[in-house]
Amino acid sequence: MTNDQSDKTFHPNRRGFLGVAAATGAASLAPGVLIGTAGLAEASEPAPSQSVDASASTIAAKLPSPVPGYLSFGPDEAGFVEVMVNVMCPADALTPGGVDCGLAAYIDRQLAGGFGKGARLYMRGPWREGKPELGYQLPLTPEQFFKAGLAAADAACRKRNGKAFSELDEGGADRFLHEIADGKVTDERVQLASWFNELVYPLFEQACFADPVYGGNVGKVFWKAIGYPGLPAVHSQDMVDFRGKPFPGAADPKSIADFA
Amino acid sequence: MATRLKHRTVVFVGGGFTAALAARQLTAKGVDVVVLERGIDRTHTAATSLPSQRDELRWDVHGDLFQDWSVQTYTLRHNDGETALPIRRLQAFKPGEGMGGAANHWNGQTWRWSESDPVLRTQLENRYGKKAIPAEMAIQDWGVTYAEMESYHDQFEKLFGIAGKAGNLRGKVQEGGNPFEAPRQNEFPQKPLPITEAGVIFSEATKKLGYKPFPLPAANSPEAYTNPDGMQLGQCQFCGHCERFICEANAKASPEVLLYPMLRNRKSFELRLQTHVLDILYDRKAKRVTGVRYIDRVTGEEYEQPADVVVLSSFTMSNTKFLLMAGIGTPYNPRTGHGMVGKNFCHQTMSGTRVFFKDRWINPFLASGASQTVIDEFNGDNFDHSGLGFFGGGYIYANVTNGRPITSRAVPPGTPKWGSTWKKANADWYAHNFTISAHGSWYPHRENYVDLDPTYVDAYGQPLLRMTFDVRENERKMSVYLSKKIDEIAKATGADIAPPTAPRKGPYDSQVYQTTHVTGGTIMGNDPGTSVVSPHLQHWDAENLFVVGASVYPFNAGYNPTGPLGALALRLGDDLNDYVACPRHL
Ligand SMILES: Cc1cc2nc3c(=O)[nH]c(=O)nc-3n(C[C@H](O)[C@H](O)[C@H](O)COP(=O)(O)OP(=O)(O)OC[C@H]3O[C@@H](n4cnc5c(N)ncnc54)[C@H](O)[C@@H]3O)c2cc1C
Ligand code: SF4
């Protein structure tokens, strides 16, 4: 059933995707070129002292490239997710855009792996709608749910905006995501707000802050941004020496790969 | 058909914390013990080795050490009128699996409960009058007093090398400790852990308000430590990967480090891993259990293990389920009030706020699971409840155990959920905030209980345990009260941002972690009419069946449960030695 739906929904989008694919290709060379020029989405934010674009591309230049290729996403899904992560994580003084940070790669890998296939999730019926406090109650694996929601969101986007999500400009895409999160976008079969808030958003946060070994947080860029020192976390002396003081290790975090 | 194995003396169902402590007493006397544990031994695995031990996604977010919900979960409804649904991924509490149980991936916050807790009903009746206790609040005394347990607490603290400062030595209140502490014979075996920056701020604020802050008693070893069994702990690294993780430095006192390696060297001890127990075998006429049936998870074969004595040590949920499945005792019926099995199911009432400081470096990653600073003024019956409309309370603490960036990061309220402003807020505040929380009690309510679900089954085709459970008025009122106290402390810290604490409300939410301190279901007491097991943890309806774990608590206090569980488990081991020598109602 999801296949039928996605067939109908995704056809025209495929062309759209080609454009985005080209664009993201470009964006990974120079973040902020096409999608997500830094600072635009959050205009109220006081501009950092240096030139935003310059510092963003300096960060990007020093970063390894995210793992290329997708395991779970088809082209249209990739197009949707790439635009989404670039909007949710625009290139700015702190990090490059979401795709360059590996956020799309992370989400793809999670959906293709154990989590996406429903590992550790109780999957027996009967299936009934439940109160929110009972949590997830659908017969879909997280990967299937992600895709069903994505298809429904894209269909809703066409209805509202006359174009696929991946064809919206940055402001439009950002607005649409907020509308989904706030429960303003509805679909007959998929509860889009819970899809976004309970599945997509946690994956986004994990993509930013999980160990880079999972494909996101490329070059520990988010850990550097917030000052999380990572590994090896052997702090019995630090705990006393740096109580109430800036911790020097925070500037140069280490991750699993650094000890492999 | 199950293969029938050779008869054994004592069989433990579940190889976690309580089983190990009771087995220690038994095998010291050479009594034959076999422990059946569904999980594996993780001693030399990714879970305990660098760098993989520090993987937040794997161990915390994905919960690779916890019970696998695809195999077995629980169903939930908020009242009798609803149809319960399975919690497909449970977040509210996280039972363990594997040699050592949940106490491998615990925080190590190690309390003795208050002196009045084991006699709670007596205490409240004496202080407020019999009528003051609402009819639906089925609190009761344990049938064993703190004084009878004290030496076991002492023994447990030495075995686990607990770090703390005595607050009450033989009746004399001690400066720097918990002035409300139950009297102890001896100081803690180790000095307290060093204080965190959050603890410094919390101490100043609470002292200003006239409270007496003290270091939380911790099972994170401040130094290398050798226990009376000759088992060793390393020094805590303040690694911030404590709760939900197994300690890489062997510094967290846990069964996996201190007990099982020793037990496995004892002649009369056998640990059978990857054995999922299905049933307790009950001879109704003789009123005795004859053994257990289990499935070998490696081969898929079924076995029957006959035994003289069966001990349920499989955590609150499984302990209760085994009794319901075997029909030992009568299931609780909330309408008539008859039956005891499944009654008095309780959890924990948590609430808290984040305080944000522009100019102070909290460095949340420099912390251990129990390196917290606490006040106990508003716990249990440490304060006057006259006119408050509720009973119970909790400790309030500067709650920093880690700075793990996926789940412990926080930004001030009102921050957008993504975009550059969100990123900048993370960068600005990550190292500059901490939580002040209340760890609140949960008293039983007539309508809160567990039984067998009529619809949903686990991977073995057995019914799931069903929780009929909600946050009732007593806990809601208590949480409002404690949350106000948190707000006063938060204000006194001088934080730049201190949003008001949201008190715990209903409906009970399976998706929000509280603690893994669910209690009740097989409660203890002096009267067979109002309890499942005796104060010696012996089943009233099957003399050779014993139950140990928080399922025997008639209510949940505002303290973490494992300290008294340690004492109860050691005492049970001694009682079992006595019983095996001369079987009878103890
Ligand atoms: C994340 C976390 C943090 C915690 N922090 C604290 C803390 O700071 N302070 C505190 O006091 N307490 C804490 N606790 C609670 C503490 O871990 C428990 O109170 C303690 O482990 C309970 O001991 P137990 O023997 O009853 O259960 P466990 O130690 O969990 O052992 C039960 C064992 O039974 C096994 N089992 C269950 N069913 C079966 C079956 N059918 N067949 C075979 N085996 C089975 C399980 O696999 C498990 O190994 C925490 C718990 C968790 C999960
Ligand atoms: S905080 Fe200390 S006790 Fe806890 S896991 Fe880390 S090193 Fe071990």
Side-chain angles (χ1 to χ4, degrees), chain B residues 173-504:
Chain B
V173 171
Q174 306 289 308
E175 194 61 38
N178 178 8
F180 299 93
E181 191 178 47
R184 49 170 58 247
Q185 288 302 307
N186 295 306
E187 205 10 304
F188 284 93
Q190 295 206 75
K191 66 179 173 43
L193 291 166
I195 192 168
T196 63
E197 179 69 357
V200 171
I201 296 172
F202 181 85
S203 276
E204 283 165 7
T206 49
K207 279 185 187 155
K208 237 190 278 171
L209 295 170
Y211 307 138
K212 297 221 155 59
F214 59 95
L216 195 150
N220 319 129
S221 190
E223 287 172 359
Y225 177 79
T226 304
N227 82 4
D229 290 339
M231 301 303 286
Q232 293 177 337
L233 292 172
Q235 183 188 23
C236 174
Q237 302 299 322
F238 288 83
C239 76
H241 294 72
C242 203
E243 177 182 51
R244 304 170 184 207
F245 298 75
I246 303 183
C247 181
E248 172 271 331
N250 284 354
K252 176 160 58 173
S254 51
E256 183 247 355
V257 175
L258 294 175
L259 292 163
Y260 284 99
M262 174 186 76
L263 292 172
R264 292 174 95 173
N265 280 327
R266 287 187 176 173
K267 267 210 202 86
S268 68
F269 181 84
E270 185 196 349
L271 173 66
R272 246 176 255 163
L273 294 171
Q274 292 186 275
T275 55
H276 183 97
V277 178
L278 297 167
D279 297 301
I280 308 306
L281 306 171
Y282 183 46
D283 181 341
R284 192 173 304 273
K285 271 207 201 105
K287 290 188 104 185
R288 293 178 61 78
V289 293
T290 56
V292 306
R293 187 171 64 97
Y294 72 86
I295 189 158
D296 182 325
R297 292 179 71 181
V298 177
T299 64
E301 306 250 348
E302 261 183 44
Y303 293 94
E304 192 182 313
Q305 177 60 68
D308 290 338
V309 178
V310 174
V311 182
L312 295 181
S313 50
S314 56
F315 192 69
T316 305
M317 308 304 278
S318 296
N319 281 357
T320 308
K321 183 179 157 174
F322 282 124
L323 296 185
L324 292 166
M325 292 277 300
I328 310 176
T330 313
Y332 173 64
N333 180 335
R335 299 226 173 86
T336 62
H338 290 308
M340 278 296 129
V341 187
K343 190 170 178 271
N344 284 25
F345 185 67
C346 298
H347 196 177
Q348 202 92 62
T349 313
M350 303 293 288
S351 64
T353 188
R354 289 265 181 177
V355 279
F356 295 83
F357 301 83
K358 275 198 199 102
D359 302 321
R360 296 197 73 156
W361 290 89
I362 307 303
N363 296 337
F365 44 84
L366 303 179
S368 82
S371 56
Q372 291 135 331
T373 306
V374 197
I375 62 159
D376 209 26
E377 270 79 0
F378 302 103
N379 210 342
D381 203 32
N382 293 349
F383 59 108
D384 185 3
H385 289 74
S386 307
L388 293 180
F390 69 87
F391 290 115
Y395 64 82
I396 298 177
Y397 59 141
N399 185 11
V400 186
T401 62
N402 72 87
R404 296 192 298 271
I406 302 175
T407 51
S408 295
R409 189 180 29 87
V411 288
T415 305
K417 287 189 80 182
W418 61 81
S420 288
T421 310
W422 170 77
K423 268 192 266 176
K424 182 154 190 310
N426 276 294
D428 287 346
W429 294 109
Y430 168 72
H432 300 281
N433 74 85
F434 69 92
T435 304
I436 302 177
S437 306
H439 182 281
S441 57
W442 190 306
Y443 287 174
H445 187 279
R446 195 164 43 84
E447 291 166 46
N448 284 346
Y449 68 105
V450 289
D451 65 355
L452 295 177
D453 192 89
T455 308
Y456 292 95
V457 296
D458 66 16
Y460 304 98
Q462 296 190 324
L464 299 183
L465 198 66
R466 173 173 68 178
M467 303 189 272
T468 303
F469 197 55
D470 207 349
V471 192
R472 312 285 176 188
E473 190 186 1
N474 186 71
E475 277 54 53
R476 293 197 304 263
K477 283 189 174 163
M478 183 200 67
S479 188
V480 168
Y481 183 85
L482 287 181
S483 297
K484 279 195 192 129
K485 300 293 172 196
I486 296 175
D487 289 343
E488 286 165 19
I489 296 168
K491 194 164 165 234
T493 63
D496 295 300
I497 305 173
T501 305
R504 184 74 24 209

Side-chain angles (χ1 to χ4, degrees), chain A residues 42 45 88 90 92 95 120 122 124 126-127 131 133 137 174 201 205 214 228 232 234-235 243 245, chain B residues 54-55 63 66 78 82 86 88 195 237 239 363 409 417-421 423-424 430 456-457 510:
Chain A
E42 309 288 350
E45 185 57 34
M88 293 175 80
D92 57 21
T95 77
R120 309 187 75 82
Y122 181 80
R124 285 160 195 267
W127 307 90
K131 294 180 177 175
E133 294 81 16
Q137 291 295 338
D174 186 55
Y201 188 76
E205 278 191 304
Y214 291 101
Y228 170 63
V234 175
H235 293 311
R243 179 189 300 123
K245 296 180 194 148
Chain B
R54 309 283 202 244
D55 184 345
F66 309 138
H78 293 118
E82 297 177 358
R88 297 182 181 277
I195 192 168
Q237 302 299 322
C239 76
N363 296 337
R409 189 180 29 87
K417 287 189 80 182
W418 61 81
S420 288
T421 310
K423 268 192 266 176
K424 182 154 190 310
Y430 168 72
Y456 292 95
V457 296
S510 69

